[in-house]
Amino acid sequence: MKKALLLGCVAFFALALTGRAQAQAVAPMPHLEKRGARALTQLIVDGKPFIILGGQVNNPTGFPDRMESAWPKFKALNANTIEYPIYWEQIEPQEGRFDFSGVDQIIKGLRSQGLRAIPLWFGTWKNGAMDYVPAWVKSDTKRFPRVLDYGGRPIRVLSPHGQATLEADRTAFAALMKHIKEIDGNEHTVILVQVENESGILGSPRDYSAESTRLFNGPAATELVTALKMPPGTWKEVFGRRAEEMFTGYYLSGYINAVAKAGKAAYPLPMYCNVWMGGEGTSDRFLEFDRPGDSYPSGGPQSHMINLWKATAPDIDIIGPDIYHQSPLIYRTILSRYTRPDNPLYVVETGIGTVFARYCFYALGEFSAIGFCPYGVDVSAGEEMSAGFMDMAANFRVLKTALPVIADLQVKGKLQAAVEEEFIPGRELAFDGYDILVRFRPPVRSSGKPLAASGPPVPSGRVLVGQLGPDEFLVAGFDVALDFKPSLDTEYTAAQGLLIEEGVYDNGVWKPTWLINGDISDAGLVLRTEGNLIKIKLMRY
Ligand code: DGJ
């Protein structure tokens, strides 16, 4: 009898284990998917839409100890994902001998913190140069040729025409992806991979080696001119003043595509490239001429190069901008250029401070971003997160439980943002059946005191408004007051709150934490500096 019981238990646990293994095995890979009538591309993780509220660590932090000491800062940021570098020189210090011990520790560490991981492959290109390639690559200038500038001098950038360099980079990257599959193929801690970093040539518009010049003087690549619907001719004839940059972009994007393709063959995670902005009004070097190879790396996926990259690098799923501009005009221009049917918006890197906390709302609410990631989350020396991240951390705190709902509203086209700018104290949003006036940093009354200005002394108002149903809205924001009216095309004259609740989502279920009464909502629905997540049911009469 005892034996039968024992056997039964063994069989039960074996079945349970097999069941678990099967459940893990069938969990779909992280992938991009077009969803809803708008065919909006979203990132799907463990079968569900996933919005990245991330942080990128500083360049030298891609080591286990440094990452571990930054965990309190990741937590304080309320991030769900961390971008961190993997250095080619670190994993392959000698050719063909790989050391993935650091890679393993970091992935397991992030997993233990409940965080997702986005490794950044610092390979052939890093900020338009080559700083993180192994010493055996740097020192063998014959086998791994550098770009020659106009004067024929070698510079600190590897040539995109170097076949041996491509072979070495893609071998290393494929080995890395194979390894990530081995240690993470079931868990999916790693959800997305960046291939190279701010690629392009800084220091020259193209490689002026004899072979490169021979190619440049020949016909522009047929594949490219056909894809761009241009007439054939030499690079100069077809692309005029952009000829050298397009030529570089063609070879460089093809190179990076080959690296990504080899990585995907080992483990097909979605892959993206980030961008050092420049060209067509996107440079932040305002006091210099904006020239490829000079103010920004030539041949990279800058906004005027996206069509080329889309044609020649099909294995790069997303091109994501690094945006450090404070100007709302330039910031939104960049957001709109990287939001395309073939390119979901992912803000890979951005600055810190209230300005960027506001722009996060544009990205999510106006451009349906799949993610937003400030740079340098571990910047401060001690345990504490630097004060510059406070507003972003508040954003992430208010938004994080509502992310599945926000993703759904994005798909349905029912999400909008209102963001305060200098000289813009309010904005009106039009929804089905309702118009909403958003007033930024409104005057508010605290008990017994007269109405007084609210919020900090700088523009900070920001709100996401999503229409959940004909008379129901989700509101997430800071330093705003909302007034509701029936839209002009209805017979109603006024709108009134039926039920106003502050709360959080718990696994998709709304949990009210506070019923907002008349004293608080009589001068408009006020969302304060600490931030609120509110559901409001309305009626029109
Ligand atoms: C952009 C780069 O992509 C990052 O790796 C880092 O160098 C930052 N610039 C620093 O601001």
Side-chain angles (χ1 to χ4, degrees):
M1 178 66 190
K2 263 191 187 159
K3 200 173 160 198
L5 196 67
L6 188 71
L7 278 176
C9 284
V10 170
F12 172 81
F13 282 118
L15 258 177
L17 280 177
T18 325
R20 207 161 86 199
Q22 270 169 0
Q24 282 177 347
V26 294
M29 285 279 294
H31 63 280
L32 295 168
E33 194 175 295
K34 284 200 185 291
R35 303 186 66 237
R38 297 170 70 212
L40 182 74
T41 305
Q42 293 194 310
L43 175 64
I44 309 293
V45 175
D46 291 344
K48 295 185 211 119
F50 186 88
I51 295 179
I52 299 160
L53 299 182
Q56 181 170 144
V57 299
N58 283 294
N59 281 176
T61 306
F63 292 90
D65 292 354
R66 294 185 79 114
M67 288 288 282
E68 279 177 29
S69 54
W71 283 346
K73 293 169 191 161
F74 302 162
K75 201 172 169 54
L77 181 62
N78 296 305
N80 59 21
T81 307
I82 296 297
E83 296 176 345
Y84 65 98
I86 294 183
Y87 320 104
W88 183 5
E89 63 180 343
Q90 174 200 12
I91 65 156
E92 196 184 7
Q94 285 172 285
E95 190 168 7
R97 306 188 83 173
F98 291 98
D99 175 1
F100 293 118
S101 51
V103 172
D104 293 1
Q105 250 180 290
I106 291 175
I107 292 177
K108 285 181 190 151
L110 289 173
R111 190 185 298 151
S112 76
Q113 297 301 299
L115 291 161
R116 304 283 177 167
I118 301 183
L120 318 173
W121 173 236
F122 282 12
T124 302
W125 285 282
K126 163 69 176 81
N127 295 23
M130 58 182 275
D131 295 342
Y132 290 91
V133 304
W136 54 269
V137 174
K138 282 181 189 145
S139 51
D140 192 345
T141 54
K142 276 220 150 47
R143 189 171 156 214
F144 306 113
R146 287 155 186 253
V147 166
L148 301 185
D149 71 8
Y150 191 66
R153 290 172 301 244
I155 62 172
R156 210 178 97 235
V157 188
L158 289 162
S159 171
H161 305 287
Q163 281 310 303
T165 328
L166 165 58
E167 200 44 54
D169 186 331
R170 79 170 148 199
T171 303
F173 185 65
L176 171 67
M177 292 306 295
K178 176 170 176 284
H179 187 77
I180 292 178
K181 181 182 180 187
E182 281 160 12
I183 61 156
D184 194 49
N186 289 333
E187 284 85 351
H188 304 145
T189 301
V190 179
I191 54 173
L192 200 59
V193 178
Q194 179 181 299
V195 192
E196 314 292 343
N197 191 82
E198 292 190 342
S199 63
I201 302 175
L202 202 60
S204 182
R206 71 170 171 91
D207 182 2
Y208 288 90
S209 66
E211 173 58 7
S212 167
T213 300
R214 187 186 66 73
L215 291 169
F216 181 71
N217 289 332
T222 313
E223 163 207 10
L224 180 62
V225 289
T226 309
L228 299 184
K229 300 191 172 48
M230 309 282 279
T234 63
W235 287 93
K236 199 94 202 132
E237 283 163 353
V238 179
F239 296 110
R241 63 192 273 270
R242 291 270 178 222
E244 293 193 305
E245 186 176 14
M246 293 293 280
F247 170 79
T248 301
Y250 172 74
Y251 285 99
L252 197 134
S253 59
Y255 180 122
I256 293 178
N257 193 67
V259 173
K261 196 176 177 139
K264 282 186 170 177
Y267 185 36
L269 281 176
M271 298 197 181
Y272 72 91
C273 287
N274 66 330
V275 192
W276 174 325
M277 296 310 308
E280 310 294 329
T282 66
S283 172
D284 56 7
R285 301 191 172 188
F286 294 105
L287 305 180
E288 293 169 27
F289 285 103
D290 190 18
R291 299 282 157 95
D294 213 345
S295 58
Y296 64 93
S298 179
Q302 286 78 25
S303 62
H304 56 286
M305 301 288 284
I306 300 179
N307 287 341
L308 174 147
W309 274 72
K310 288 291 171 189
T312 53
D315 288 282
I316 297 301
D317 304 291
I318 305 171
I319 302 173
D322 297 349
I323 329 179
Y324 292 90
H325 277 285
Q326 305 223 8
S327 145
L329 180 69
I330 303 179
Y331 206 100
R332 287 174 79 187
T333 300
I334 295 172
L335 294 181
S336 74
R337 288 189 191 163
Y338 286 88
T339 307
R340 311 173 13 143
D342 59 359
N343 199 71
L345 177 67
Y346 177 32
V347 180
V348 175
E349 288 179 36
T350 200
I352 61 171
T354 314
V355 173
F356 298 99
R358 283 193 281 117
Y359 296 167
C360 173
F361 279 55
Y362 280 137
L364 296 173
E366 208 171 294
F367 298 96
S368 301
I370 65 159
F372 196 83
C373 227
Y375 176 81
V377 55
D378 57 329
V379 68
S380 60
E383 286 245 309
E384 300 266 295
M385 182 181 68
S386 135
F389 286 95
M390 292 302 183
D391 289 320
M392 198 68 80
N395 280 1
F396 290 1
R397 172 176 48 74
V398 168
L399 299 177
K400 69 181 176 190
T401 69
L403 289 178
V405 182
I406 290 173
D408 190 52
L409 289 163
Q410 285 179 333
V411 166
K412 293 179 175 145
K414 298 273 184 198
L415 186 69
Q416 296 188 44
V419 177
E420 183 179 5
E421 303 295 354
E422 217 185 351
F423 308 120
I424 303 186
R427 274 198 56 195
E428 195 174 317
L429 303 174
F431 286 92
D432 264 357
Y434 289 90
D435 291 338
I436 302 176
L437 179 65
V438 181
R439 292 175 282 124
F440 302 119
R441 285 183 295 153
V444 290
R445 191 190 310 279
S446 33
S447 53
K449 297 201 182 124
L451 272 182
S454 64
V458 291
S460 60
R462 56 199 188 276
V463 68
L464 289 181
V465 184
Q467 187 160 21
L468 298 169
D471 300 291
E472 191 175 27
F473 292 86
L474 182 69
V475 181
F478 300 79
D479 294 325
V480 290
L482 273 59
D483 304 307
F484 297 82
K485 264 195 180 199
S487 50
L488 263 181
D489 57 358
T490 66
E491 71 273 26
Y492 302 106
T493 54
Q496 179 182 356
L498 281 179
L499 179 64
I500 312 176
E501 295 168 325
E502 171 152 11
V504 291
Y505 283 94
D506 182 3
N507 278 322
V509 179
W510 177 250
K511 298 266 164 167
T513 52
W514 192 31
L515 189 63
I516 296 179
N517 66 26
D519 278 1
I520 297 157
S521 58
D522 63 351
L525 178 61
V526 176
L527 284 76
R528 306 220 174 213
T529 299
E530 59 273 21
N532 306 83
L533 183 67
I534 289 171
K535 242 189 186 186
I536 175 165
K537 280 202 183 107
L538 296 154
M539 60 165 288
R540 298 172 295 177
Y541 58 94

